[in-house]
Amino acid sequence: MVDTASRTDDLAPETSAAPASTPASTPPTPTGTSDAPIPAPTATPVAPANEPKVDVEALGRQLLGTWADLRLAARERAADPALHRIEGQSMDEHRERVLEQMKLLVEQGAVHRAFPKSVGGHDDHGGNIAGFEELVIADPSLQIKAGVQWGLFGAAVLHLGTTPHHEKWLPGIMSLEVPGAFAMTETGHGSDVASIGTTATYDEATEEFVIDTPFRGAWKDYLGNAAVHGKDAVLFAQLITKGVNHGVHAFYVHLRDADGNFLPGIGGEDDGLKGGLNGIDNGRLHFTDVRIPRENLLNRYGDVAADGTYTSPIASPGRRFFTMLGTLVQGRVSLDGAATAAAAMALTIAIEYGTQRRQFNGASDTDEEVLLDYQRHQRRLLPKLATVYAQTFAHDEFLVKFDEVFSGKADSDDDRQDLETMAAALKPLSTWHALETLQEAREACGGAGFLAENRLVGLRQDLDVYVTFEGDNNVLLQLVAKRLLTDFSKQFAGADAGALARYVVSQTAERAYHGTGLRRLAQTIADFGSTARSVSELRDEETQRELLTDRVETMIGEIAGRLREARKLPKADAAAVFNRNQNELIEAARAHGELLQWEAFSRALARVEDAGTKRVLTWLRDLFGLGLVEQHLAWYLIHGRLSPQRAQAVSAYIDRLVERLRPHALDLVHAFGYTDEHLRAKIATGAEQERQDEARAYYAAQRKAGTLPVPEKSAKQR
């Protein structure tokens, strides 16, 4: 469908116009070419006089977020070649290189911000994560191995242990004198931590816990530092005392002696070569009658006295379990940020290349077109750029929430539940999007994107596992959906019969209204013959908010209605009902996460002061919001939220948006602030521009000299 909206109205500035943007600088013509290349016509229309200009420096500062200076310092560190991955290294070489890089981080004081001041830290939880995420620029293996050491192993001692544990073990963990493993996941249980098989049975006679992995599926698996480097571990096991299983608790366990050999009763295997992250020595561990002192129980949330009596400040076993795991949410926070950074790097590489690489000459007899001038190329990359912006702004809000909870500024049960829900909603979206973006960027760069020297394939391999560790994405979204259902049900807690009846009537009326097509018919009449009118409403911020919010609320309401009666059924039947709604639950949770991102983008947009930047970011926000609507057009049509006319207008307007954003694409990726030392992709350094300029100068010289051969088709027409 053609967008028939008035161009004068369609391009009217939302704010006062800024000066026309200055074209991005291009590399110089290669040495040895005497004639400058003939300027190639562009597939995009000439920019109008009121074309906005992006303030790249100010936008870049906003993208850096709350801990901007710490991020800049971390990026300066990540630009150091000593921290970079060397392509082509063997697994063993890569592992040892990453270990040495970890030592450099310790020397530079780069990894201790979250630890208490009493042991040499800064008590800066948000700043710690902000700096840590930037390590993905250097090498994802370094980022994740550092995360295992200080963000999981060390953080477990910090958050699950008490002062004696901190004083005894944190100094060695912080200095890397004691590399450690985070032994939670088992071969047979990943995301379902509550069902792990490892046991820690208390022996009153010796005042020791006896650690066992009683069957093969209970072996601790996929553990960073377990295969080679780990000396100790924080191990999660079912705590059993006086014949009662008190659920999963954490224990500090020594693994190897000074010579690197396993201690008695402990064994393990190397997980070997993986699909990515091969700088990390992942392995599996098993335990048979391994005895540890009673004091090695990390006892902040549960303790065992010498006589075997169990006590806990949290009476509910379920709440205790989730509180313990909630203290380790920082892994999901950092993955959200690192995945967003990886996607931003990929788009910077692909868009830089797309503005230089030329292919086919549909608009000119002499010059080929720049890839990014093709609509399909814009459609492939610019919506993903809009999503990265939304993720970046949402992540900063997420990180602020994390810092407030862990610093104690806002540490109520509700605050912690909100943080856990945000983590479970945002980490899946950003990690999935990173993989999609890296793949699309790779394809958009053709064969050049498949070369290891241009980083896209390596990043794609390394980030693959981000979607499953720290919680499988689908499982995390199911947790979000359950929270949404709980909040939905709380709205009617204690409601009288009249209130419920009125709600049922309103729901029935709404189903009839949408289901009979009345809303669709009304929209069709209002919009008939005027895509411009549809576009005008769709680009309204409140319209987008209503569309995205309505989808979440309607989906949850429908599911809640179907599950309401399941509470009265036998357990097996109730589980079957829940299972039949599982896919919709996960989709509703995903829609909720997308709404969080859109809202964060809108709040960030409201803070932009520069008129030109605000206008361009408004287009980008609209591209993100309407892109979500376009992805789910079937839902909006089936539920009567959009007419066919308006549904067509969504795609038509998106086509206009990518065309508008095309002249600003380089500014938008340059605002991320990545230098050549960060990207380390030859196709993003201007080398392609030099090749294109050389080729065009060559043909221009031949045309000028009259030595260019005549094409066969032209010769036949003479």
Side-chain angles (χ1 to χ4, degrees), residues 351-386:
I351 287 174
E352 285 277 7
Y353 185 67
T355 59
Q356 298 171 17
R357 179 74 156 87
R358 294 177 178 274
Q359 194 76 59
F360 306 111
N361 57 349
S364 169
D365 292 330
T366 59
D367 286 292
E368 295 175 295
E369 306 303 316
V370 172
L371 290 181
L372 201 60
D373 281 348
Y374 289 106
Q375 185 195 57
R376 180 57 183 164
H377 216 72
Q378 295 165 10
R379 267 283 199 159
R380 297 171 75 179
L381 298 179
L382 296 186
K384 294 193 179 302
L385 179 60

Side-chain angles (χ1 to χ4, degrees), residues 622-639:
D622 291 350
L623 179 59
F624 175 65
L626 295 179
L628 295 175
V629 174
E630 185 182 48
Q631 290 174 34
H632 306 295
L633 275 181
W635 187 94
Y636 287 104
L637 286 166
I638 290 170
H639 287 78

Side-chain angles (χ1 to χ4, degrees), residues 114-169:
F115 290 102
K117 293 179 180 178
S118 61
V119 292
H122 299 274
D123 282 319
D124 181 3
H125 302 278
N128 176 67
I129 296 294
F132 166 71
E133 291 164 352
E134 302 296 334
L135 286 175
V136 75
I137 298 170
D139 183 354
S141 285
L142 174 59
Q143 186 221 358
I144 298 304
K145 191 175 177 75
V148 169
Q149 176 68 19
W150 296 295
L152 291 176
F153 175 52
V157 173
L158 172 61
H159 295 300
L160 300 180
T162 50
T163 301
H165 301 131
H166 300 166
E167 295 173 348
K168 184 175 183 179
W169 292 315

Side-chain angles (χ1 to χ4, degrees), residues 62-72 74-75 113-114 123-134 143 329-338 340-341 390-410 415 418-424 426-427 596 600 603 607:
Q62 185 175 6
L63 288 169
L64 288 168
T66 304
W67 289 271
D69 291 333
L70 282 174
R71 286 193 184 277
L72 288 173
R75 288 188 182 184
R113 298 197 69 85
D123 282 319
D124 181 3
H125 302 278
N128 176 67
I129 296 294
F132 166 71
E133 291 164 352
E134 302 296 334
Q143 186 221 358
V329 72
Q330 61 188 6
R332 294 170 188 170
V333 182
S334 63
L335 291 183
D336 179 54
T340 299
Q391 289 177 184
T392 300
F393 295 131
H395 177 70
D396 189 59
E397 293 187 355
F398 180 21
L399 192 52
V400 168
K401 182 69 174 178
F402 167 80
D403 185 70
E404 289 175 345
V405 168
F406 278 75
S407 68
K409 296 175 186 175
D415 288 317
D418 288 345
L419 175 62
E420 291 164 14
T421 303
M422 288 180 71
L426 296 180
K427 180 263 185 181
L596 293 179
R603 284 189 289 270
R607 296 192 298 271

Side-chain angles (χ1 to χ4, degrees), residues 91 103 115 137 168 243 277 334 343 362 458 475 479 500 535 537 576 602 614 620 669 693 695 704:
M91 181 179 71
K103 295 175 183 177
F115 290 102
I137 298 170
K168 184 175 183 179
L277 296 178
S334 63
V475 175
L479 294 176
L500 289 173
V535 164
E537 184 167 340
S602 295
K614 193 179 192 75
L620 198 65
V669 294
D693 287 349
K704 183 177 180 180

Side-chain angles (χ1 to χ4, degrees), residues 255-578:
L255 300 177
R256 292 180 168 93
D257 61 22
D259 297 322
N261 300 311
F262 281 123
L263 295 172
I266 301 175
E269 297 174 353
D270 194 324
D271 279 328
L273 191 67
K274 308 182 294 292
L277 296 178
N278 280 301
I280 307 170
D281 56 321
N282 293 93
R284 54 186 68 98
L285 301 171
H286 56 85
F287 302 82
T288 304
D289 294 328
V290 175
R291 290 179 171 267
I292 61 173
R294 179 175 63 91
E295 293 77 14
N296 281 28
L297 166 64
L298 300 179
N299 60 350
R300 180 177 178 184
Y301 295 107
D303 200 6
V304 174
D307 66 356
T309 302
Y310 178 84
T311 57
S312 172
I314 304 174
S316 166
R319 189 63 229 154
R320 185 190 314 137
F321 171 73
F322 284 109
T323 300
M324 284 192 287
L325 293 193
T327 62
L328 305 172
V329 72
Q330 61 188 6
R332 294 170 188 170
V333 182
S334 63
L335 291 183
D336 179 54
T340 299
M345 287 194 292
L347 287 167
T348 302
I349 293 168
I351 287 174
E352 285 277 7
Y353 185 67
T355 59
Q356 298 171 17
R357 179 74 156 87
R358 294 177 178 274
Q359 194 76 59
F360 306 111
N361 57 349
S364 169
D365 292 330
T366 59
D367 286 292
E368 295 175 295
E369 306 303 316
V370 172
L371 290 181
L372 201 60
D373 281 348
Y374 289 106
Q375 185 195 57
R376 180 57 183 164
H377 216 72
Q378 295 165 10
R379 267 283 199 159
R380 297 171 75 179
L381 298 179
L382 296 186
K384 294 193 179 302
L385 179 60
T387 301
V388 169
Y389 264 70
Q391 289 177 184
T392 300
F393 295 131
H395 177 70
D396 189 59
E397 293 187 355
F398 180 21
L399 192 52
V400 168
K401 182 69 174 178
F402 167 80
D403 185 70
E404 289 175 345
V405 168
F406 278 75
S407 68
K409 296 175 186 175
D411 192 17
S412 68
D413 284 344
D414 285 344
D415 288 317
R416 286 189 172 270
Q417 288 182 43
D418 288 345
L419 175 62
E420 291 164 14
T421 303
M422 288 180 71
L426 296 180
K427 180 263 185 181
L429 269 59
S430 59
T431 53
W432 272 328
H433 183 257
L435 293 190
E436 294 167 5
T437 300
L438 285 160
Q439 182 63 27
E440 196 68 65
R442 204 294 296 160
E443 293 182 34
C445 294
F450 198 59
L451 299 180
E453 69 180 18
N454 292 318
R455 295 210 55 204
L456 295 172
V457 286
L459 283 170
R460 174 64 175 75
Q461 290 170 333
D462 286 338
L463 266 74
D464 198 333
V465 75
Y466 282 38
V467 304
T468 48
F469 68 30
E470 293 295 326
D472 178 275
N473 283 356
N474 284 288
V475 175
L476 291 179
L477 288 177
Q478 187 166 295
L479 294 176
V480 176
K482 289 181 177 179
R483 170 70 187 274
L484 294 175
L485 285 171
T486 299
D487 288 350
F488 183 87
S489 66
K490 284 180 180 178
Q491 295 179 35
F492 304 103
D496 59 24
L500 289 173
R502 286 191 296 275
Y503 174 75
V504 170
V505 169
S506 68
Q507 286 292 93
T508 303
E510 179 155 292
R511 282 197 296 273
Y513 183 58
H514 294 311
T516 59
L518 293 176
R519 184 175 235 180
R520 291 195 297 272
L521 178 62
Q523 283 190 356
T524 301
I525 293 173
D527 298 341
F528 187 73
S530 178
T531 303
R533 192 175 304 171
S534 294
V535 164
S536 179
E537 184 167 340
L538 287 169
R539 68 187 183 191
D540 177 70
E541 182 173 303
E542 285 307 311
T543 298
Q544 293 177 35
R545 178 179 283 108
E546 288 172 9
L547 285 169
L548 298 176
T549 303
D550 180 50
R551 183 164 180 263
V552 177
E553 293 179 345
T554 300
M555 292 175 77
I556 289 297
E558 289 176 346
I559 296 166
R562 293 195 292 270
L563 294 179
R564 189 172 291 116
E565 296 303 316
R567 291 177 295 181
K568 303 176 183 178
L569 298 175
K571 186 174 182 179
D573 293 339
V577 172
F578 185 88

Side-chain angles (χ1 to χ4, degrees), residues 16-67:
S16 58
S21 58
T22 304
S25 60
T26 56
T29 303
T31 303
T33 55
S34 57
D35 293 285
I38 298 172
T42 175
T44 55
V46 176
N50 66 344
E51 181 70 19
K53 177 179 172 60
V54 174
D55 185 337
V56 176
E57 183 178 355
L59 178 56
R61 187 75 182 183
Q62 185 175 6
L63 288 169
L64 288 168
T66 304
W67 289 271

